């Protein structure tokens, strides 16, 4: 699943007429980078959630996308804007899309640039065997998030409380059971369009040692401001 429903308020005026995941980095829409990486890893069925100017995303990629020679992606859309008039936040959007997702699935944000991240079946297999409810990739804290989000234990558990914390890259593997009681009370498919953030669900699962994590050392940018977008696109 690619998360592409946000308004991108901090990116205005760039996002007044274009959804943030379609802003280009090195000649490609931001969201196309993880789409191509997923396809290269053999993951060819994709769900994209949309809201703000969502029709521009579905028009850009359609239902079957062949991107730069990678295997074709079969894409379905969860149109939160059409169905509810606004985005449902991360957990609300995932629960809305659950009927279109498998028991285990990847989630990545469409506005994060991690060009070297590799989505592998081996990662899925390890996660499936672990019995955990989520596996997160963490990155060193950028200047705009120096306090970090989650800790990491020596044996690979994600920690809600820790002296040293890292930033959640937004890339993760999830089991559908995370989005059910006791961690999430929204019915599968989110028929009422409940808005819900992801962090509280993850933190509750972390407190029960149900979330694993690892550090990712490759280039990574949360493209949250026009300045960061400009910096990425400035030749070095």
């Amino acid at each position: 699943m690619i998360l592409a429903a946000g308004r991108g308020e901090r990116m205005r005026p760039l996002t007044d007429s274009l959804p943030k995941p379609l802003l280009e980095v090195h000649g490609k829409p931001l969201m196309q980078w993880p789409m191509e990486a997923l396809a290269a890893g053999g993951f060819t069925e994709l769900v994209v959630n949309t809201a703000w100017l969502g029709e521009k995303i579905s028009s850009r990629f359609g239902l079957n996308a062949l991107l730069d020679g990678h295997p074709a992606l079969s894409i379905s859309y969860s149109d939160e804007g059409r169905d509810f008039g606004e985005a449902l936040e991360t957990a609300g959007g995932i629960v809305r899309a659950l009927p279109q997702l498998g028991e285990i699935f990847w989630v990545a944000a469409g506005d994060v640039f991690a060009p070297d991240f590799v989505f592998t079946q081996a990662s899925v297999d390890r996660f499936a065997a672990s019995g955990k409810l989520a596996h997160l990739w963490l990155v060193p804290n950028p200047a705009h998030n120096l306090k970090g989000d989650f800790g990491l234990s020596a044996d690979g558990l994600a920690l809600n409380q820790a002296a040293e914390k890292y930033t959640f890259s937004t890339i993760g593997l999830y089991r559908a059971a995370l989005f059910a009681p006791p961690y999430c009370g929204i019915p599968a498919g989110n028929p009422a369009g409940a808005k819900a953030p992801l962090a509280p669900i993850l933190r509750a699962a972390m407190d029960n040692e149900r979330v694993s994590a690892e550090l990712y050392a490759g280039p990574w940018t949360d493209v949250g401001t026009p300045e960061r977008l400009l910096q990425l696109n400035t030749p070095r």
Side-chain angles (χ1 to χ4, degrees):
M1 182 173 182
I2 299 290
L3 303 172
R7 172 62 179 86
E9 288 284 354
R10 290 178 299 162
M11 296 296 290
R12 297 183 68 184
L14 299 177
T15 52
D16 287 345
S17 58
L18 196 69
K20 185 179 176 184
L22 290 186
L23 296 174
E24 291 195 353
V25 172
H26 302 314
K28 296 179 187 177
L30 263 170
M31 65 183 293
Q32 186 170 325
W33 290 89
M35 291 169 69
E36 290 183 359
L38 283 162
F43 304 97
T44 56
E45 295 184 14
L46 181 67
V47 178
V48 177
N49 71 328
T50 61
W52 174 250
L53 300 177
E55 69 282 354
K56 294 196 174 186
I57 293 175
S58 56
S59 295
R60 174 67 175 77
F61 294 108
L63 299 178
N64 292 281
L66 184 62
L67 306 172
D68 288 359
H70 294 284
L73 284 168
S74 175
I75 306 174
S76 57
Y77 296 91
S78 178
D79 193 337
E80 299 166 16
R82 177 198 63 203
D83 296 338
F84 303 106
E86 60 183 343
L88 304 180
E89 299 187 43
T90 302
I94 292 172
V95 177
R96 176 66 176 169
L98 275 182
Q100 299 167 266
L101 297 167
E103 174 60 27
I104 290 174
F105 51 92
W106 292 97
V107 176
D111 59 357
V112 163
F113 184 63
D116 296 340
F117 189 88
V118 179
F119 296 86
T120 67
Q121 185 61 44
S123 293
V124 175
D125 293 342
R126 283 194 298 270
F127 174 61
S130 75
K132 294 291 190 283
L133 294 174
H135 182 81
L136 312 180
W137 276 263
L138 307 177
V139 297
N141 296 328
H144 57 84
N145 191 43
L146 291 176
K147 293 183 178 180
D149 300 312
F150 307 122
L152 179 61
S153 74
D155 56 352
L157 285 176
L159 303 174
N160 183 15
Q161 301 293 337
E164 183 178 16
K165 292 185 176 182
Y166 302 93
T167 292
F168 177 32
S169 71
T170 78
I171 301 170
L173 279 164
Y174 298 89
R175 207 177 294 266
L178 177 66
F179 301 96
Y183 300 107
C184 179
I186 304 172
N190 197 355
K195 298 172 69 173
L198 179 59
I201 294 172
L202 287 174
R203 292 186 187 282
M206 286 176 193
D207 287 343
N208 286 325
E209 300 187 350
R210 300 303 307 277
V211 181
S212 56
E214 63 184 272
L215 288 178
Y216 174 65
W220 178 91
T221 302
D222 174 2
V223 189
T225 65
E227 291 74 22
R228 286 180 225 157
L229 181 65
L230 178 62
Q231 186 176 32
L232 282 175
N233 282 317
T234 300
R236 297 171 184 266

